[in-house]
């Protein structure tokens, strides 16, 4: 945590370099581990990449076309701060149809610039300096830095392959202190592909209730659930008012570049997020909102086809890693496999770097996702079957070579 | 079994070289079931052929293709079947469809040159008694065929690594 006196920038001495002008909090944010690896990969040629955290589908044409048409008809203005009424209505309908949670589009839904902005707004609206934010790890990389930026203290809760990377009641309980305020959940999980069933959730919900926690539930991969329907944390008994559901169109509807997301929650919380949102971005881009509405209105069949296609490839990679001799728990959601590379004796970073240099396959070392990620590799299977097959061959040869040496 | 067959057909339609082993993994069914389903599909001529989709415009000895609208008088008792057969048996004919609307058959003819196709129409197709009229349209460029886009475009524009 950063102490208050460190936050004061002293005027007394002249600053030696431009970075001395930065706020201590901004300076303290570690650069993303993914970024470093990105530079490394970009410098290499002819690489097959399993490092991509986005769908390999282009946004379906009817969605793109809806946006083009709206531009042609001159839809180029600001929208209501919280998003167009039609889109909020459609999101409300969708949340109810798919996940059985009812939200009032007028007060409980906010359209944001990607799920990313929704996460930022929720954390900004809720964190006071010193608040502890519980984050099951390995997890998506933005939660801890944004928490720290707001003066909060991220508290990682390690999850394990033996539990299929699910959050367990015991480990949650063990991490709670009087300062615990928030719990950030992300299931289906990036990077582990873990999911939580209704039965898995119940003891977690009980602890949340007992300790008066607020939950930010990042459900952006909800549709990419391969063994039964996704269970929204907000749909659990008593949890709706305590939960801000964060989601978006990037993954399920193959719309990453559109930057369309949303948050659903209690009117008081959404209203605070809306205040910050209106001062920082005014509203999400209207073109994206038109496209998102089209996706929700006419895009469900196409979305389900894409999900089925990920599922086919999921089976392929899990079998592939197992045959190579890399233990791989079965991911039940998202589009990532998270095999263990511990049997090679290499660290995640070394494995990933050597795999890139020697086998020309890129994947993300597990340690960048926080506690419990060391010893694993995140491999996205949102890539063509032929590329996956080739990548698996190459990884197989590479692992064989290492184990022989 | 019907669902499995449809799933198999869709996977083969994307790439006919996929092995039963691969398909079995992707669909999470035993390989033997996939092999049997494929055999049945072949036997029933549901799978007619494993052919390659070729973009001939990229090959030096280019081909000329025309779509020809043909109006015909149906034969008593056989309708269009007999005449359609007389037409589709020519190797120059790549496809024949019976159409609703202003004409009856849509015939796709392929030749090495414009002259080839023109002479096929005037020497083979038009002289058939039942053929009343033909209208020939030459294809200038194929953008998409059988769901496959022919234009060269970057189909993966993603960053190599993203969170
Ligand atoms: C778990 C998770 N949450 C949120 C996001 C951000 O998505 P977007 O801002 O595109 O909606 C991502 C993207 O990778 C993610 O993996």
């Amino acid at each position: 945590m950063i102490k208050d006196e460190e936050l004061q920038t002293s005027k007394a001495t002249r600053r030696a370099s431009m970075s001395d002008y930065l706020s201590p909090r901004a300076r303290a944010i570690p650069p993303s581990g993914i970024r470093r690896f990105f530079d490394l990969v970009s410098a290499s040629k002819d690489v097959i990449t399993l490092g991509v955290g986005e769908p390999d589908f282009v946004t379906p044409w009817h969605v793109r076309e809806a946006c083009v048409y709206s531009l042609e008809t001159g839809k180029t203005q600001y929208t209501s701060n919280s998003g167009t009424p039609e889109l909020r209505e459609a999101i409300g309908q969708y949340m109810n149809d798919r996940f059985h949670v009812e939200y009032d589009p007028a007060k409980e839904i906010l359209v944001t610039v990607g799920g990313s902005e929704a996460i930022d707004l929720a954390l900004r609206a809720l964190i006071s300096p010193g608040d502890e934010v519980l984050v099951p790890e390995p997890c998506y990389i933005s939660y801890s830095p944004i928490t720290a930026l707001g003066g909060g203290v991220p508290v990682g809760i390690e999850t394990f392959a033996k539990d299929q990377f699910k959050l367990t009641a015991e480990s949650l309980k063990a991490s709670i202190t009087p300062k615990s305020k928030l719990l950030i959940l992300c299931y289906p999980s990036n990077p582990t592909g873990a999911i939580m069933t209704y039965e898995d959730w119940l003891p977690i919900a009980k602890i949340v209730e007992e300790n008066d926690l607020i939950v930010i539930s990042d459900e952006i991969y909800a549709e990419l659930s391969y063994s039964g329907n996704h269970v929204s944390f907000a749909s659990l008994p008593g949890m709706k008012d305590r939960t801000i559901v964060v989601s978006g169109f990037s993954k399920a509807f193959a719309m990453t570049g559109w930057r369309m997301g949303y948050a659903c929650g209690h009117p008081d919380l959404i209203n605070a997020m809306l205040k910050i949102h209106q001062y920082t971005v005014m509203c999400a881009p209207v073109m994206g909102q038109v496209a998102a509405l089209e996706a929700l209105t006419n895009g469900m069949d196409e979305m389900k086809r894409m999900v089925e296609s990920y599922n086919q490839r999921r089976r392929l990679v899990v079998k592939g890693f197992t045959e190579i001799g890399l233990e791989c728990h079965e991911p039940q959601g998202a589009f990532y496999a998270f095999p263990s590379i511990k049997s090679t004796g290499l660290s995640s970073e070394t494995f990933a770097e050597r795999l890139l240099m020697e086998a020309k396959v890129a994947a993300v070392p597990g340690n960048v996702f926080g506690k419990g990620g060391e010893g694993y590799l995140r491999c996205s299977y949102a890539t063509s079957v032929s590329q996956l097959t080739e990548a698996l061959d190459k990884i197989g040869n590479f692992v064989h070579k290492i184990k022989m040496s | 079994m019907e669902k499995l067959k449809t799933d198999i057909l869709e996977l083969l339609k994307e790439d006919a070289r996929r092995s039963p082993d691969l398909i079995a993994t992707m669909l999470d069914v035993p390989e033997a079931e996939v092999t049997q389903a494929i055999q049945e599909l072949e036997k029933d001529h549901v799978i007619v052929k494993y052919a390659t989709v070729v973009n001939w415009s990229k090959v030096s000895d280019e081909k000329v293709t025309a779509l020809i609208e043909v109006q015909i008088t149906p034969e008593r008792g056989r309708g269009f079947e007999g005449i359609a057969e007389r037409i589709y048996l020519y190797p120059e004919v790549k496809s024949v469809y019976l159409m609703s609307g202003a004409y009856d058959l849509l015939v796709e003819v392929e030749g090495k040159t414009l002259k080839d196709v023109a002479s096929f129409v005037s020497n083979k197709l038009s002289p058939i008694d039942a053929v009343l009229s033909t209208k020939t349209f030459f294809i200038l460029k194929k953008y998409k065929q059988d769901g496959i886009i022919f234009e060269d475009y970057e189909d993966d524009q993603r960053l190599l690594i993203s969170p």
Side-chain angles (χ1 to χ4, degrees), chain A residues 53 114-116 119 140 143 186 190 218 220-221 250-251 259-260, chain B residues 163:
Chain A
S116 300
I119 295 166
Y140 181 55
Y143 309 139
C186 175
N190 173 9
D218 182 346
I220 199 160
Y221 291 102
S250 288
K251 317 291 172 170
R259 314 305 308 119
M260 289 306 302

Side-chain angles (χ1 to χ4, degrees), chain A residues 9 156 166 182 189 211 304 330 333 391:
Chain A
T9 30
K166 289 173 190 283
L182 280 171
S189 156
N211 293 277
K304 284 176 189 167
E330 190 187 344

Side-chain angles (χ1 to χ4, degrees), chain A residues 34 37-38 41 49 51-56 140-141 190 312 315-316 319 336 362 364 378 382-383 385, chain B residues 3 7 10-11 14-15 17-18 21-22 24-28 153-163:
Chain A
I34 283 201
F37 206 68
F38 175 80
V41 174
T49 180
V52 190
E54 62 178 318
D56 62 335
Y140 181 55
I141 57 171
N190 173 9
Q312 293 171 349
R315 295 171 183 137
L316 175 68
K319 179 161 175 260
Y336 308 103
V364 182
R378 191 195 74 174
T383 289
V385 172
Chain B
K3 166 90 171 76
D7 289 346
E10 271 166 17
L11 289 179
E14 279 172 25
D15 183 352
R17 292 175 306 174
R18 283 179 178 161
D21 172 34
L22 177 67
T25 305
M26 290 174 74
L27 297 178
D28 196 22
Y153 68 90
E154 194 80 55
D155 52 357
D156 194 346
Q157 305 184 37
R158 300 176 297 167
L159 298 174
L160 291 170
I161 299 277
S162 55

